[in-house]
Amino acid sequence: MSRIFVTGSTGYLGGYVCTRLLEQQPDARLALLVRGRDRDHAIDKLWRGWQLHMDAAAFKEALSRVELHLGDLHAKNLGLSDAAWSDLAGDTDSVLHIAASLNRKSERACLNTNLRGALSVIRLGRAMADGGGLRRFSFVSTAAVAGERWREVVPEDQSIRWDHRQYDPYARTKAFGEHMLRELLPDVSTIVFRPSTVLGDARFPDTTQWDMVRAYVFFAELPVLPWGPDIRQDIVNADYVGDAITHVHLADAPRWDTYHLSAGTGSRSTREIVHALASATGKPGPRFSRRLKGPFDGTVRALEMLGPGATTQRMAALLRVFLPYVTNDTVFDNGRIVAELGRAPTPFVDYAPSLLHYAKENDFRYPYRELPAD
Ligand SMILES: NC(=O)c1ccc[n+]([C@@H]2O[C@H](COP(=O)([O-])OP(=O)(O)OC[C@H]3O[C@@H](n4cnc5c(N)ncnc54)[C@H](OP(=O)(O)O)[C@@H]3O)[C@@H](O)[C@H]2O)c1
C-alpha cells in the first residue's frame, strides 16, 4: 500500500485533491499534516473541507485510509515527533505540498508559512528521498509567481524572472518556494503546479471559498468598471485543478515538471464575465470607463481606512490586493496541462450564473453540516 504525505488537506483545493487521490488510488493511504488541538478537532476540520465532495458515511469510510499527523508548518520539524518524522522518512511514496498562506497583505504570514513551512516540508522530502526513496514531490504554487505583467500570455518557462517586481509577499514567497524545491531536491521527480484564479466548480454550484466570488459579483453589480472591457480574466474551475493535480501527481512519467492550471488563451474578457453574472439576475451589467481608474482607486483606498470589520472595508481591502491581478490582462498558457489531461477547463461564463444564484441564496456562506456523533 502506498503512502502519500499531504499538507493543506483541510483547505479548498486540498479537499478536491485528497478525495480524488482516494478514489483514483484505491491502494493508497494518505498521511495528512493537519493543524488541530487534538484528533477530534482535526477530524472536524477535515470534514468541513471534504463535505463538499462526500456525505458523512463516505467520509467515515475515507477516514479508515487516513493517518492524521497533528502539526504546523511553523513548528520545528512541522511539529512532528522524532518517531513520526523517521517513520514518514522511511516509508512514504510521495509528497503533495498544498498548504500555504494566501494572505497577500501579510509579509509575516507568507514568510512563516510559504518559506519556513515549505522549507520544513522539503527537508522532510529530503529525508524521505535519502531514507526509503521518494517517487515524487509535488508543490502547489500559483500563476502569480509571474509577477507584474501587462497584456501577456505567459508560458511556464518564462514565468519566474527574478528581476521582475512581484505584486505582493504571497507571489514573492511562492516563487522562492519553487526555487527551494528545485535546489534542494534535484535528484527527485518534482512537479510544480501553478493555478491561476480558482473560482467555483463547473459541475455543481456549491463552494466553500468566497473571496473571488464576492469580488466578481461586486464588479458585475457596479454601474461602471474603471478598466477596459477586453481585459482578460484567467479563471479556472476547481474541479479541473483537482483533476489535473491528481492526474499528474500519480502519472508514471509526466511530460513536464511545471504546469499552469489555467484558462490560458481560452480566458474570457471582463465584459463577457460580468455580463454573464449580471444577466443571471436580469441586470444589464456595468459599462466601462478607463478614465474612472484614478477616482476608483482613491475610493477603494478611502474605504479601506474605515474601521476594521465593516463589510465595505473588507471588500475594499479585498479589492486592493486583487485589483492588480484582474486588470493586468495577463493569462497563463495552459497547453501543457490540456495535452496531459486531454481536455481544457470549463469557461467560467458557462457556470457563473449558477454560482451566482448559489452565492446569493446562501448569503456568500457555505451551509456546513455537523458530522453525526457516532
Ligand atoms: N484558491 C486559489 O485561487 C489558488 C490559486 C492559485 C494557487 N493556489 C494555491 O493552492 C494552494 C491551496 O490553496 P487553497 O485555495 O486551498 O487555500 P486554503 O483553502 O486557504 O487552504 C490552505 C491550507 O493550508 C493549510 N495551512 C495554512 N497554514 C498552515 C500551517 N501553518 N500549518 C499547517 N497547515 C497550514 C490550511 O490549514 P488550516 O485548515 O489549518 O487553516 C489549509 O489546509 C495554496 O498553495 C495556494 O497558494 C490557490
Side-chain angles (χ1 to χ4, degrees):
M1 209 184 213
S2 66
R3 186 199 224 179
I4 308 175
F5 180 72
V6 186
T7 69
S9 57
T10 53
Y12 182 58
L13 287 181
Y16 278 87
V17 173
C18 289
T19 52
R20 276 163 174 70
L21 286 173
L22 289 170
E23 272 161 31
Q24 288 174 29
Q25 197 79 336
D27 67 337
R29 66 183 196 282
L30 304 184
L32 308 179
L33 182 82
V34 178
R35 277 195 290 192
R37 290 186 298 278
D38 51 33
R39 188 180 156 79
D40 285 350
H41 184 219
I43 289 176
D44 272 348
K45 287 179 66 171
L46 212 53
W47 169 236
R48 276 175 80 83
W50 292 15
Q51 60 183 262
L52 200 55
H53 310 281
M54 55 177 68
D55 62 19
F59 178 70
K60 287 179 182 177
E61 212 174 301
L63 281 183
S64 66
R65 290 172 57 201
V66 161
E67 274 168 42
L68 287 173
H69 292 270
L70 299 185
D72 189 325
L73 289 175
H74 297 186
K76 182 165 184 284
N77 289 344
L78 302 170
L80 299 171
S81 66
D82 290 348
W85 181 280
S86 330
D87 177 47
L88 286 163
D91 175 27
T92 302
D93 177 64
S94 64
V95 174
L96 247 162
H97 179 41
I98 305 174
S101 168
L102 287 86
N103 186 342
R104 289 175 160 80
K105 290 177 73 177
S106 170
E107 190 92 41
R108 189 177 48 174
C110 289
L111 189 126
N112 278 309
T113 312
N114 304 347
L115 290 184
R116 279 181 58 235
L119 180 59
S120 297
V121 182
I122 293 168
R123 274 186 44 241
L124 179 58
R126 181 72 267 156
M128 290 166 175
D130 295 341
L134 184 64
R135 189 184 63 82
R136 176 156 301 140
F137 190 121
S138 295
F139 175 77
V140 180
S141 181
T142 167
V145 296
E148 287 191 16
R149 305 275 177 154
W150 171 241
R151 293 236 152 111
E152 282 188 52
V153 179
V154 183
E156 280 88 344
D157 290 344
Q158 287 168 36
S159 183
I160 294 187
R161 293 189 186 146
W162 297 108
D163 54 349
H164 259 209
R165 274 160 50 114
Q166 298 283 2
Y167 290 119
D168 49 45
Y170 168 67
R172 215 163 20 249
T173 51
K174 294 293 273 191
F176 200 77
E178 289 189 24
H179 182 63
M180 287 193 296
L181 176 75
R182 297 269 152 78
E183 289 287 311
L184 299 176
L185 298 177
D187 50 332
V188 173
S189 161
T190 51
I191 307 278
V192 169
F193 297 105
R194 297 191 190 128
S196 56
T197 300
V198 183
L199 195 44
D201 190 308
R203 302 161 308 163
F204 51 70
D206 318 47
T207 180
T208 55
Q209 201 170 59
W210 293 106
D211 276 359
M212 291 308 282
V213 183
R214 273 181 216 282
Y216 278 101
V217 170
F218 177 76
F219 295 147
E221 291 179 346
L222 286 177
V224 188
L225 274 178
W227 65 84
D230 299 327
I231 298 276
R232 292 161 298 174
Q233 307 291 328
D234 197 324
I235 296 174
V236 61
N237 43 314
D239 47 314
Y240 186 83
V241 173
D243 284 349
I245 294 174
T246 312
H247 176 92
V248 176
H249 183 78
L250 296 177
D252 284 337
R255 276 179 268 182
W256 293 277
D257 65 5
T258 307
Y259 292 85
H260 282 158
L261 310 180
S262 53
T265 50
S267 298
R268 301 303 167 88
S269 68
T270 308
R271 181 190 357 237
E272 287 172 281
I273 286 168
V274 292
H275 282 220
L277 286 165
S279 64
T281 52
K283 298 207 174 113
R287 289 177 295 110
F288 292 84
S289 167
R290 285 192 195 85
R291 277 181 307 150
L292 290 180
K293 183 165 179 349
F296 184 83
D297 289 350
T299 311
V300 168
R301 268 198 302 276
L303 290 175
E304 216 189 340
M305 309 296 274
L306 290 175
T311 310
T312 341
Q313 189 267 350
R314 284 208 307 275
M315 180 52 79
L318 184 67
L319 288 183
R320 271 265 276 175
V321 291
F322 285 128
L323 270 180
Y325 292 102
V326 298
T327 55
N328 66 6
D329 197 24
T330 289
V331 301
F332 305 93
D333 183 47
N334 66 3
R336 289 182 178 179
I337 195 61
V338 171
E340 193 84 54
L341 265 187
R343 64 190 166 90
T346 309
F348 180 58
V349 290
D350 290 2
Y351 63 94
S354 55
L355 181 60
L356 177 121
H357 286 304
Y358 179 81
K360 296 253 176 190
E361 274 160 23
N362 290 285
D363 199 16
F364 294 89
R365 273 194 287 268
Y366 180 75
Y368 286 103
R369 309 183 300 277
E370 292 291 315
L371 189 64
D374 65 314

